[in-house]
């Protein structure tokens, strides 16, 4: 089964902020924090101070929309740009001891074809297509990397093991992602050959854990792995950490990777996968592939310490 292509939504996130927009954000930030400080300093001034707060000037609504919550205790103030541009972003200023900006990024999702295979024959056909894609990629570029991920049914009861690897998603470009329902089809010979091919790099976050589960559950060895978390620590000039796919997406792409609990912890052994599950699975594999391309383009950190 194949889901139809999803049309891309137009937005202006590829456009950098203009100097005017940066100035507007700075002015709004200063106004919000100044109002907060004045409110805290004069919290005991009485009704007269309340009238003064109401009469203070605000930025024009055409620039920013303010939403003050819990104004009586001044626990939080927030502002977000108007919907004329960058409507998917909001800037929140939280007032504990110091104002902090919290960026809410637009969501990322795969926009190409999602090829869903459930039966052994369908999975075999998809594997043949993937092998042809890999051979063509090798011929043109000499190097092939595939975004790789798996899903399984979780267990919520003590002493009950989680399910076997149920879904395998593979993506090698922006146009197509393959979602293979291997709990029903098993892993046919052609797919096994692709997974065990040492010349094809499989990329993902904590991918060794996924490869181990495939080995235990299906007796297939996934070879030549590249962990995106480890690669990021070699490329990004900051303290090494255990990156998740979502945190890397925010760091490198300024996008939010949706991880709805209902889908992530759903039944991946269902007879057929819903469109929401297919989209979720394809997006994870696509983002893994895309982040790999982004990280490989960065130079490695040079340690100048002696």
């Amino acid at each position: 089964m194949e889901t139809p292509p999803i049309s891309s939504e137009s937005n202006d996130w590829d456009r950098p902020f203009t100097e005017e927009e940066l100035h507007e954000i700075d002015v709004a930030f200063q106004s919000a924090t100044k109002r907060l400080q004045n409110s805290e300093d004069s919290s005991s001034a009485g009704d007269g101070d309340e009238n003064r707060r109401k009469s203070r000037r605000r930025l024009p609504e055409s620039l920013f929309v303010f939403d003050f919550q819990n104004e009586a205790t001044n626990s939080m103030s927030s502002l977000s740009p108007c919907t004329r541009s960058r409507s998917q972003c909001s800037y929140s200023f939280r007032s504990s001891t110091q104002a902090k900006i919290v960026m809410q990024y637009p969501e990322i999702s795969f926009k190409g074809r999602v090829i869903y295979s459930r039966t052994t024959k369908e999975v075999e056909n998809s594997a043949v297509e993937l092998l042809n894609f890999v051979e063509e990629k090798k011929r043109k570029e000499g190097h092939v990397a595939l975004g790789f991920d798996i899903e399984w049914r979780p267990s919520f009861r003590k002493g009950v093991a989680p399910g076997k690897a149920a879904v395998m998603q593979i993506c090698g470009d922006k146009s197509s992602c393959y979602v293979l329902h291997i709990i029903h089809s098993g892993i046919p010979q052609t797919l096994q050959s692709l997974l065990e091919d040492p010349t094809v790099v499989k990329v993902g976050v904590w991918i060794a854990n996924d490869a181990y589960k495939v080995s235990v559950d299906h007796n297939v060895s996934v070879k030549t792995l590249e962990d995106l978390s480890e690669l990021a620590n070699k490329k990004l000039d900051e303290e090494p950490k255990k990156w998740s796919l979502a945190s890397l997406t925010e760091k490198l792409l300024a996008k939010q990777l949706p991880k709805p609990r209902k889908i992530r912890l759903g039944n991946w052994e269902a007879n057929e996968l819903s469109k929401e599950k297919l989209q979720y699975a394809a997006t994870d594999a696509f983002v893994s592939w895309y982040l790999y391309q982004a990280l490989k383009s960065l130079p490695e950190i040079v340690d100048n310490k002696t």
Side-chain angles (χ1 to χ4, degrees):
M1 183 178 73
E2 179 179 321
T3 60
I6 302 174
S7 60
S8 59
E9 299 177 357
S10 60
N11 58 59
D12 59 355
W13 273 94
D14 290 333
R15 176 178 65 81
F17 283 107
T18 64
E19 290 296 326
E20 181 180 358
E21 288 171 329
L22 290 172
H23 176 69
E24 291 169 356
I25 292 173
D26 184 61
V27 170
F29 175 78
Q30 296 297 331
S31 176
T33 52
K34 183 177 180 181
R35 174 172 179 165
L36 172 64
Q37 185 62 48
N38 290 340
S39 298
E40 291 174 346
D41 292 343
S42 58
S43 58
S44 60
D47 293 339
D49 183 64
E50 176 68 19
N51 293 332
R52 284 195 298 275
R53 279 203 301 270
K54 291 181 179 178
S55 65
R56 287 189 181 123
R57 295 180 61 187
R58 298 172 64 180
L59 287 177
E61 292 186 358
S62 60
L63 296 179
F64 292 89
V65 178
F66 284 81
D67 179 22
F68 287 89
Q69 300 180 8
N70 301 323
E71 187 165 349
T73 58
N74 296 303
S75 63
M76 184 182 79
S77 61
S78 65
L79 59 84
S80 60
C82 68
T83 56
R84 293 184 182 180
S85 65
R86 304 183 187 273
S87 59
Q88 294 171 299
C89 171
S90 66
Y91 307 87
S92 297
F93 298 92
R94 304 186 184 278
S95 58
S96 51
T97 56
Q98 184 178 1
K100 295 181 180 179
I101 298 179
V102 179
M103 290 289 289
Q104 295 180 354
Y105 297 111
E107 291 186 354
I108 188 172
S109 64
F110 179 62
K111 306 296 184 182
R113 293 189 311 147
V114 180
I115 299 106
Y116 174 44
S117 304
R118 180 185 174 280
T119 67
T120 301
K121 183 177 181 180
E122 289 172 346
V123 171
E124 179 73 17
N125 290 339
S126 290
V128 170
E129 289 182 15
L130 278 166
L131 277 178
N132 291 336
F133 167 82
V134 164
E135 292 305 317
E136 181 68 12
K137 201 83 167 177
K138 284 181 182 178
R139 187 181 65 81
K140 289 182 177 180
E141 302 177 13
H143 174 80
V144 183
L146 299 175
F148 178 87
D149 199 8
I150 61 172
E151 310 293 342
W152 61 88
R153 177 180 51 79
S155 172
F156 302 101
R157 296 172 58 187
K158 186 177 180 180
V160 178
K164 295 173 62 176
V167 175
M168 181 179 294
Q169 51 264 46
I170 300 175
C171 187
D173 61 14
K174 296 180 179 180
S175 64
S176 302
C177 277
Y178 293 81
V179 179
L180 314 173
H181 213 167
I182 58 175
I183 195 68
H184 300 302
S185 67
I187 297 182
Q189 183 59 47
T190 306
L191 179 57
Q192 181 174 347
S193 298
L194 175 64
L195 297 175
E196 295 182 344
D197 186 347
T199 67
V200 180
V201 182
K202 293 83 177 177
V203 302
V205 171
W206 307 328
I207 191 171
N209 294 339
D210 289 345
Y212 177 76
K213 186 166 181 60
V214 171
S215 175
V216 171
D217 293 346
H218 296 275
N219 196 31
V220 172
S221 176
V222 184
K223 296 180 179 178
T224 313
L225 311 175
E226 181 82 67
D227 190 305
L228 296 177
S229 181
E230 294 179 1
L231 182 60
N233 287 330
K234 296 177 183 177
K235 298 282 189 170
L236 302 179
D237 190 14
E238 53 184 80
E239 285 296 318
K241 60 186 287 187
K242 291 184 177 180
W243 295 91
S244 66
L245 197 61
S247 62
L248 267 181
T249 301
E250 289 191 5
K251 179 68 177 180
L252 295 176
L253 308 180
K255 301 283 187 179
Q256 177 186 351
L257 181 63
K259 290 286 184 179
R261 182 181 178 87
K262 181 179 179 181
I263 295 178
R264 180 169 55 90
L265 301 180
N267 181 16
W268 293 95
E269 296 180 5
N271 188 48
E272 287 191 2
L273 296 180
S274 65
K275 288 185 178 181
E276 291 77 16
K277 279 189 170 68
L278 290 173
Q279 184 65 42
Y280 174 96
T283 296
D284 271 10
F286 164 70
V287 169
S288 293
W289 170 81
Y290 195 78
L291 289 174
Y292 177 77
Q293 308 304 318
L295 287 168
K296 290 297 287 185
S297 68
L298 299 176
E300 291 200 7
I301 300 171
V302 178
D303 190 355
N304 295 321
K305 295 180 181 180
T306 57

